[in-house]
Every structure is written in C-alpha cells, then in structure tokens.
Amino acid sequence: MNIDRRSFSALVPAFALGGLAPRLARAQAAAFPSKAIRIVCPFAPGGGSDFIARLAAAKLGERVGQTVLVDNRPGAGGVLGTEIGVKAAPDGYTLLLVAGSYTVNPALYKLSFDPVTDITPVIQLSRGAYVLCVNAQVPARTLQELLALARKDPGKLTFASSGAGGHLHVVTEYMFEMAKVKATHVPYKGTGPAVNDLLAGNVDMLFAGTEALMQHVKSGKLRALAVSTAKRLPAYPDIPSVAESGLPDYDVVAWHGLVAPKGVQPAVLARLSSELNAMLRAKDVEDRLEPTGVGAAGGTPEEFGALIRAEITRYGKVIREAGIKAE
C-alpha cells in the first residue's frame, strides 16, 4: 500500500491524539478533586434534606481533602435547584441532592430536562421512613381503626402535607387509594407549619419524617400509628408498618441521594462512588443518622438509577389516578 508523505503526516497526529485523549482523561480523573465541590440542595436550610446534604458535604470533604459546599436553591417544589444542578458542567464538581420529590415532579411539572437521561446517578445516601401520626383528639389507636373512621364518613378526616403535589401529599394519597378511602387534604407551606397545626388539633393526621414527628410522639402530644416502610424501623420497633396493618403492598422509603449532570467521566464517578460508600460505612455517620431513625444506604450508581426510574413510574401512576395537582 502506497501512502504519500502528506497523508502520512496527517495520520500521525490523529493516532497520537487518539492515544493522548484517554490518557488525559485518566490523569484528570486521578487528580480529582483538585478544587471545591458543590452540592446543590433544592430545599431551604434547616430541613431534613439540608441536614443530609450538610452531613454528606462535611464527611466527603474530610475524605477527599477538599472543601465541599452546600448551595441551597429552594423553589417550585425543588425544581428550581434541580435545574441548576442538572445543567451544570459534567465534571464531577457539581452534585445535586435529590429526594423523593424528584420522582413525583415529572408528573406534576413541565420540566426543562429529562429526569432519567439527563443525569448521572451517583449514590443513594439514606434510607428511612415516614411515620403516620394523629393528634390526641382522633380516637383511632391503630391504622385499621383510622381507615375504618374514614370509610364510615368519607372526607371528614383531614390530612396535612408540606404542600400540594409534594412527596408527603403523594404518599398519603397513595395509602388512601390503596385502602379505597377518602380524606380531605390540607396543604401547608412546609412540614413545620403542618406539624404545628397537627399539634393544635386543626388537622387530624400527617405523614412526615421521623425527625419532624417523633419528638412529639415521645412527649405524648401525638400518636404514631404506622411507618411507611414494609418493615418496622429498628429505632422505633413498637410502631407497626402500614404493610402489616392491612395494606401489604404499601412500601414507601424516605430517601436522599446524589446525582450529577449527564456525561461525568466514569473514573470520576467511580471515585465519588467509592468515597461516598466508604463515608456511609463510617461509625460517626451512623451515629449522626441513627437518632433520626434514618439509616445509611450506599450502593452502586446503577442501583440508585434503577430506584429513580421505578419511583418515577410508580408515583406518576398515583398522581394521575388521584388527580393530584401542584401548587
């Protein structure tokens, strides 16, 4: 085969670059991180999501020797901050904290991104449960008794949520749809105001995180009827699950995780996954989570991606069937 000098000269840089690009990518990944990492939290400071984001930031920073900052960007049910995180540069230096609301928003809002194909799942950070509580004026002592009251007088019982179309609203409607009963929704602007009105007796029940409700259960001001996960929580073994209380197919996990924009280099993703999994196995992280009734999760990016896809499908069906609308 005859190749003239000019053709050969053009081929040499192409071959050189073809070998150089992967080496450069590996070198960049090996040096990662070489600057501060940002975790975008699409919720206001002070809540459960902010707590998880700040715990992850502090402990990840210790492991990688770089500052990890939390950037709170609340608004529009988490959509505002989510768009900022998803559309950042895919270099591993911007991560997005996501929670259950991430999987209900696609059925409620017209998003400017695809919640499955425009992200790189990184890790599921936490695994917890919601707890269903009633105030002292509600006569029900068990979930079965509460559902019986709802069947006797449809729509009379009221349930609070942190906002119309939020995850707490959707998972409560999911339970009522499964039980074939009706209750009246009373939305609030956040979990805090909902808890306050539950304590005041202005609303009958609330499904929310253990960190928001269990202090009031322990003081006797509220009564816990069930937890949302299929099995009881080790931290609160006396509270039965919804599943064992007559709705065996009900299983809702309250979780948080981290995703990155689409296109993160595999080596960078592997470094993040490895460090975050090691972080979640640390005793001091377990000690911080245990009092809230939340457990460390961990696992592979693929496993977290599968969870996100499954919950988008599940909650989309609930939202359509219940006719749920965003605020």
Side-chain angles (χ1 to χ4, degrees):
M1 180 176 65
N2 296 320
I3 301 177
D4 63 39
R5 184 173 298 176
R6 284 177 300 176
S7 298
F8 182 76
S9 297
L11 284 172
V12 171
F15 281 119
L17 287 173
L20 180 61
R23 290 199 297 272
L24 284 173
R26 287 194 294 271
Q28 290 170 352
F32 177 86
S34 59
K35 61 181 181 180
I37 296 172
R38 174 178 65 151
I39 297 178
V40 177
C41 178
F43 305 99
S49 296
D50 183 63
F51 167 74
I52 295 294
R54 292 184 184 279
L55 177 61
K59 296 304 178 182
L60 177 61
E62 290 175 5
R63 291 196 60 83
V64 300
Q66 293 288 345
T67 299
V68 182
L69 304 169
V70 175
D71 183 7
N72 293 92
R73 297 295 187 97
V79 174
L80 178 63
T82 298
E83 289 183 342
I84 293 171
V86 168
K87 295 179 180 180
D91 53 11
Y93 288 98
T94 296
L95 303 175
L96 170 68
L97 185 93
V98 293
S101 58
Y102 184 84
T103 63
V104 304
N105 285 340
L108 295 168
Y109 298 95
K110 186 176 181 180
L111 303 177
S112 63
F113 60 92
D114 189 293
V116 173
T117 61
D118 286 343
I119 64 166
T120 301
V122 178
I123 194 169
Q124 181 182 346
L125 292 171
S126 66
R127 180 186 294 109
Y130 297 126
V131 57
L132 177 65
C133 287
V134 297
N135 62 48
Q137 287 74 47
V138 177
R141 297 277 169 179
T142 65
L143 177 58
Q144 294 96 324
E145 292 179 2
L146 183 72
L147 296 177
L149 288 174
R151 291 190 183 97
K152 183 179 179 181
D153 200 346
K156 182 179 179 180
L157 289 175
T158 57
F159 73 93
S161 81
S162 56
H167 199 236
L168 300 182
H169 179 195
V170 173
V171 300
T172 308
E173 291 281 16
Y174 181 35
M175 181 183 70
F176 288 140
E177 286 281 314
M178 194 173 286
K180 308 300 181 187
V181 302
K182 297 291 184 183
T184 299
H185 178 221
V186 182
Y188 291 83
K189 292 188 179 297
T191 303
V195 172
N196 290 339
D197 256 18
L198 180 66
L199 289 166
N202 297 327
V203 68
D204 295 318
M205 71 187 97
L206 171 65
F207 233 148
T210 54
E211 72 281 355
L213 292 173
M214 288 310 297
Q215 58 181 314
H216 303 298
V217 172
K218 292 176 180 177
S219 71
K221 296 177 181 178
L222 298 177
R223 189 180 309 123
L225 302 186
V227 295
S228 63
T229 43
K231 296 181 179 180
R232 300 188 184 201
L233 292 179
Y236 306 109
D238 295 333
I239 306 175
S241 67
V242 171
E244 67 181 287
S245 300
L247 300 174
D249 294 329
Y250 190 89
D251 181 16
V252 169
V253 175
W255 54 262
H256 291 90
L258 291 173
V259 302
K262 176 183 178 181
V264 174
Q265 291 181 27
V268 170
L269 178 61
R271 175 79 194 280
L272 285 168
S273 177
S274 174
E275 296 293 354
L276 287 162
N277 270 296
M279 176 199 82
L280 292 171
R281 291 192 295 268
K283 182 66 165 57
D284 58 343
V285 171
E286 180 184 341
D287 291 342
R288 290 284 302 278
L289 291 174
E290 194 276 334
T292 69
V294 175
T300 67
E302 292 77 16
E303 288 169 337
F304 187 38
L307 171 67
I308 290 172
R309 292 192 299 273
E311 297 223 327
I312 287 174
T313 299
R314 173 165 65 156
Y315 292 131
K317 183 174 184 289
V318 172
I319 289 165
R320 289 190 299 272
E321 291 181 351
I324 296 172
K325 303 294 182 183
E327 290 180 296

Short mmCIF file of all heavy atoms in Angstrom, two decimals, residues 61-98:
data_model
loop_
_atom_site.label_atom_id
_atom_site.label_comp_id
_atom_site.label_asym_id
_atom_site.label_seq_id
_atom_site.Cartn_x
_atom_site.Cartn_y
_atom_site.Cartn_z
N GLY A 61 -15.86 15.92 52.28
CA GLY A 61 -14.73 16.84 52.28
C GLY A 61 -13.55 16.31 53.08
O GLY A 61 -12.39 16.46 52.68
N GLU A 62 -13.84 15.69 54.22
CA GLU A 62 -12.77 15.11 55.03
C GLU A 62 -12.05 14.00 54.27
O GLU A 62 -10.83 13.86 54.36
CB GLU A 62 -13.36 14.54 56.32
CG GLU A 62 -13.85 15.59 57.31
CD GLU A 62 -14.53 14.97 58.52
OE1 GLU A 62 -14.52 13.72 58.62
OE2 GLU A 62 -15.07 15.72 59.36
N ARG A 63 -12.79 13.23 53.49
CA ARG A 63 -12.19 12.08 52.81
C ARG A 63 -11.34 12.50 51.61
O ARG A 63 -10.30 11.89 51.34
CB ARG A 63 -13.28 11.10 52.36
CG ARG A 63 -13.97 10.38 53.51
CD ARG A 63 -14.74 9.16 52.98
NE ARG A 63 -13.84 8.22 52.32
CZ ARG A 63 -13.11 7.30 52.94
NH1 ARG A 63 -13.17 7.18 54.26
NH2 ARG A 63 -12.32 6.48 52.27
N VAL A 64 -11.79 13.51 50.87
CA VAL A 64 -11.08 13.87 49.64
C VAL A 64 -10.13 15.04 49.82
O VAL A 64 -9.38 15.39 48.90
CB VAL A 64 -12.08 14.18 48.50
CG1 VAL A 64 -12.94 12.96 48.20
CG2 VAL A 64 -12.93 15.41 48.81
N GLY A 65 -10.14 15.66 51.01
CA GLY A 65 -9.21 16.75 51.27
C GLY A 65 -9.53 18.04 50.54
O GLY A 65 -8.63 18.85 50.28
N GLN A 66 -10.79 18.23 50.21
CA GLN A 66 -11.22 19.46 49.56
C GLN A 66 -12.48 19.98 50.25
O GLN A 66 -13.22 19.22 50.88
CB GLN A 66 -11.53 19.23 48.07
CG GLN A 66 -10.33 18.89 47.21
CD GLN A 66 -9.42 20.08 46.98
OE1 GLN A 66 -9.79 21.23 47.22
NE2 GLN A 66 -8.20 19.81 46.52
N THR A 67 -12.74 21.27 50.11
CA THR A 67 -13.97 21.84 50.63
C THR A 67 -15.15 21.36 49.81
O THR A 67 -15.09 21.32 48.58
CB THR A 67 -13.91 23.38 50.57
OG1 THR A 67 -12.81 23.83 51.37
CG2 THR A 67 -15.20 23.99 51.11
N VAL A 68 -16.21 20.95 50.50
CA VAL A 68 -17.46 20.59 49.82
C VAL A 68 -18.54 21.52 50.37
O VAL A 68 -18.84 21.50 51.56
CB VAL A 68 -17.84 19.11 50.05
CG1 VAL A 68 -19.12 18.78 49.28
CG2 VAL A 68 -16.71 18.19 49.61
N LEU A 69 -19.10 22.35 49.50
CA LEU A 69 -20.04 23.38 49.88
C LEU A 69 -21.47 22.94 49.59
O LEU A 69 -21.73 22.24 48.61
CB LEU A 69 -19.76 24.68 49.12
CG LEU A 69 -18.35 25.25 49.25
CD1 LEU A 69 -18.14 26.36 48.22
CD2 LEU A 69 -18.11 25.78 50.64
N VAL A 70 -22.41 23.38 50.43
CA VAL A 70 -23.84 23.16 50.17
C VAL A 70 -24.43 24.46 49.66
O VAL A 70 -24.30 25.51 50.31
CB VAL A 70 -24.59 22.69 51.44
CG1 VAL A 70 -26.10 22.60 51.17
CG2 VAL A 70 -24.05 21.35 51.89
N ASP A 71 -25.06 24.41 48.51
CA ASP A 71 -25.67 25.57 47.86
C ASP A 71 -27.19 25.39 47.87
O ASP A 71 -27.73 24.66 47.04
CB ASP A 71 -25.14 25.69 46.44
CG ASP A 71 -25.65 26.92 45.69
OD1 ASP A 71 -26.31 27.76 46.33
OD2 ASP A 71 -25.40 27.01 44.47
N ASN A 72 -27.89 26.00 48.83
CA ASN A 72 -29.35 25.85 48.94
C ASN A 72 -30.04 26.71 47.87
O ASN A 72 -29.83 27.92 47.82
CB ASN A 72 -29.83 26.28 50.33
CG ASN A 72 -29.35 25.36 51.42
OD1 ASN A 72 -28.30 25.59 52.01
ND2 ASN A 72 -30.11 24.32 51.70
N ARG A 73 -30.86 26.06 47.04
CA ARG A 73 -31.60 26.75 45.98
C ARG A 73 -33.06 26.28 46.00
O ARG A 73 -33.50 25.54 45.12
CB ARG A 73 -30.97 26.46 44.63
CG ARG A 73 -29.54 26.96 44.46
CD ARG A 73 -29.46 28.47 44.52
NE ARG A 73 -28.11 28.94 44.20
CZ ARG A 73 -27.73 29.36 42.99
NH1 ARG A 73 -28.61 29.38 42.00
NH2 ARG A 73 -26.49 29.76 42.78
N PRO A 74 -33.84 26.67 47.02
CA PRO A 74 -35.23 26.21 47.10
C PRO A 74 -36.13 26.91 46.08
O PRO A 74 -35.77 27.95 45.54
CB PRO A 74 -35.63 26.60 48.53
CG PRO A 74 -34.78 27.79 48.83
CD PRO A 74 -33.46 27.54 48.14
N GLY A 75 -37.30 26.32 45.86
CA GLY A 75 -38.29 26.93 44.99
C GLY A 75 -38.94 25.95 44.05
O GLY A 75 -38.31 24.99 43.59
N ALA A 76 -40.25 26.15 43.79
CA ALA A 76 -41.02 25.36 42.83
C ALA A 76 -40.95 23.87 43.12
O ALA A 76 -40.73 23.05 42.23
CB ALA A 76 -40.55 25.63 41.40
N GLY A 77 -41.12 23.50 44.40
CA GLY A 77 -41.12 22.10 44.75
C GLY A 77 -39.80 21.39 44.53
O GLY A 77 -39.76 20.18 44.36
N GLY A 78 -38.72 22.16 44.54
CA GLY A 78 -37.40 21.59 44.30
C GLY A 78 -36.94 21.67 42.86
O GLY A 78 -35.79 21.36 42.55
N VAL A 79 -37.83 22.09 41.95
CA VAL A 79 -37.49 22.11 40.52
C VAL A 79 -36.41 23.15 40.22
O VAL A 79 -35.51 22.90 39.41
CB VAL A 79 -38.75 22.38 39.67
CG1 VAL A 79 -38.37 22.55 38.19
CG2 VAL A 79 -39.74 21.24 39.82
N LEU A 80 -36.48 24.31 40.87
CA LEU A 80 -35.52 25.38 40.59
C LEU A 80 -34.09 24.93 40.83
O LEU A 80 -33.22 25.04 39.96
CB LEU A 80 -35.84 26.60 41.46
CG LEU A 80 -34.90 27.80 41.33
CD1 LEU A 80 -34.96 28.37 39.92
CD2 LEU A 80 -35.27 28.88 42.35
N GLY A 81 -33.81 24.43 42.03
CA GLY A 81 -32.47 23.98 42.34
C GLY A 81 -32.05 22.77 41.51
O GLY A 81 -30.87 22.62 41.15
N THR A 82 -33.02 21.90 41.23
CA THR A 82 -32.72 20.71 40.43
C THR A 82 -32.23 21.09 39.04
O THR A 82 -31.27 20.52 38.53
CB THR A 82 -33.97 19.81 40.33
OG1 THR A 82 -34.34 19.38 41.64
CG2 THR A 82 -33.70 18.60 39.45
N GLU A 83 -32.87 22.08 38.43
CA GLU A 83 -32.43 22.53 37.10
C GLU A 83 -31.00 23.06 37.15
O GLU A 83 -30.21 22.82 36.23
CB GLU A 83 -33.38 23.59 36.57
CG GLU A 83 -34.75 23.05 36.17
CD GLU A 83 -35.65 24.12 35.58
OE1 GLU A 83 -35.36 25.32 35.79
OE2 GLU A 83 -36.62 23.76 34.92
N ILE A 84 -30.66 23.79 38.20
CA ILE A 84 -29.30 24.32 38.34
C ILE A 84 -28.30 23.18 38.43
O ILE A 84 -27.25 23.18 37.77
CB ILE A 84 -29.20 25.22 39.59
CG1 ILE A 84 -30.04 26.49 39.39
CG2 ILE A 84 -27.74 25.58 39.90
CD1 ILE A 84 -30.19 27.33 40.64
N GLY A 85 -28.61 22.16 39.23
CA GLY A 85 -27.71 21.04 39.39
C GLY A 85 -27.57 20.19 38.14
O GLY A 85 -26.45 19.80 37.75
N VAL A 86 -28.68 19.93 37.48
CA VAL A 86 -28.67 19.06 36.30
C VAL A 86 -27.94 19.71 35.13
O VAL A 86 -27.28 19.03 34.34
CB VAL A 86 -30.12 18.70 35.90
CG1 VAL A 86 -30.18 18.05 34.53
CG2 VAL A 86 -30.73 17.77 36.94
N LYS A 87 -28.03 21.04 35.03
CA LYS A 87 -27.47 21.74 33.86
C LYS A 87 -26.05 22.26 34.10
O LYS A 87 -25.51 22.98 33.26
CB LYS A 87 -28.41 22.88 33.46
CG LYS A 87 -29.76 22.37 32.97
CD LYS A 87 -30.70 23.50 32.59
CE LYS A 87 -32.03 22.95 32.10
NZ LYS A 87 -32.97 24.02 31.72
N ALA A 88 -25.45 21.89 35.22
CA ALA A 88 -24.07 22.31 35.49
C ALA A 88 -23.10 21.51 34.60
O ALA A 88 -23.48 20.55 33.93
CB ALA A 88 -23.75 22.08 36.96
N ALA A 89 -21.84 21.91 34.63
CA ALA A 89 -20.82 21.19 33.87
C ALA A 89 -20.66 19.77 34.41
O ALA A 89 -20.63 19.57 35.62
CB ALA A 89 -19.49 21.93 33.96
N PRO A 90 -20.54 18.78 33.52
CA PRO A 90 -20.44 17.37 33.96
C PRO A 90 -19.02 16.97 34.32
O PRO A 90 -18.46 16.01 33.79
CB PRO A 90 -20.93 16.61 32.72
CG PRO A 90 -20.49 17.46 31.57
CD PRO A 90 -20.62 18.89 32.04
N ASP A 91 -18.43 17.72 35.25
CA ASP A 91 -17.03 17.47 35.61
C ASP A 91 -16.87 16.84 37.00
O ASP A 91 -15.75 16.64 37.46
CB ASP A 91 -16.22 18.77 35.54
CG ASP A 91 -16.84 19.90 36.37
OD1 ASP A 91 -17.77 19.62 37.16
OD2 ASP A 91 -16.40 21.05 36.22
N GLY A 92 -18.00 16.56 37.67
CA GLY A 92 -17.95 15.97 39.00
C GLY A 92 -17.86 16.98 40.12
O GLY A 92 -17.95 16.60 41.29
N TYR A 93 -17.72 18.26 39.78
CA TYR A 93 -17.58 19.29 40.81
C TYR A 93 -18.92 19.90 41.23
O TYR A 93 -18.95 20.71 42.16
CB TYR A 93 -16.62 20.38 40.36
CG TYR A 93 -15.19 19.90 40.34
CD1 TYR A 93 -14.59 19.48 39.16
CD2 TYR A 93 -14.45 19.84 41.52
CE1 TYR A 93 -13.28 19.01 39.14
CE2 TYR A 93 -13.14 19.38 41.52
CZ TYR A 93 -12.56 18.97 40.33
OH TYR A 93 -11.27 18.50 40.33
N THR A 94 -19.99 19.54 40.55
CA THR A 94 -21.34 19.92 40.98
C THR A 94 -22.17 18.67 41.11
O THR A 94 -22.33 17.91 40.15
CB THR A 94 -22.01 20.88 39.98
OG1 THR A 94 -21.28 22.11 39.93
CG2 THR A 94 -23.44 21.19 40.43
N LEU A 95 -22.67 18.43 42.33
CA LEU A 95 -23.56 17.33 42.61
C LEU A 95 -24.91 17.91 43.03
O LEU A 95 -25.00 19.03 43.50
CB LEU A 95 -23.00 16.45 43.72
CG LEU A 95 -21.61 15.87 43.49
CD1 LEU A 95 -21.12 15.12 44.73
CD2 LEU A 95 -21.59 14.96 42.27
N LEU A 96 -25.95 17.13 42.86
CA LEU A 96 -27.30 17.56 43.21
C LEU A 96 -27.90 16.61 44.21
O LEU A 96 -27.92 15.39 43.99
CB LEU A 96 -28.18 17.59 41.95
CG LEU A 96 -29.68 17.80 42.15
CD1 LEU A 96 -29.97 19.20 42.68
CD2 LEU A 96 -30.44 17.54 40.86
N LEU A 97 -28.37 17.14 45.34
CA LEU A 97 -29.08 16.32 46.31
C LEU A 97 -30.51 16.13 45.82
O LEU A 97 -31.20 17.09 45.50
CB LEU A 97 -29.09 16.98 47.68
CG LEU A 97 -29.73 16.06 48.74
CD1 LEU A 97 -28.67 15.25 49.43
CD2 LEU A 97 -30.55 16.85 49.75
N VAL A 98 -30.96 14.88 45.75
CA VAL A 98 -32.34 14.59 45.35
C VAL A 98 -33.01 13.77 46.44
O VAL A 98 -32.36 13.04 47.19
CB VAL A 98 -32.41 13.86 43.99
CG1 VAL A 98 -31.94 14.77 42.87
CG2 VAL A 98 -31.58 12.57 44.01
#
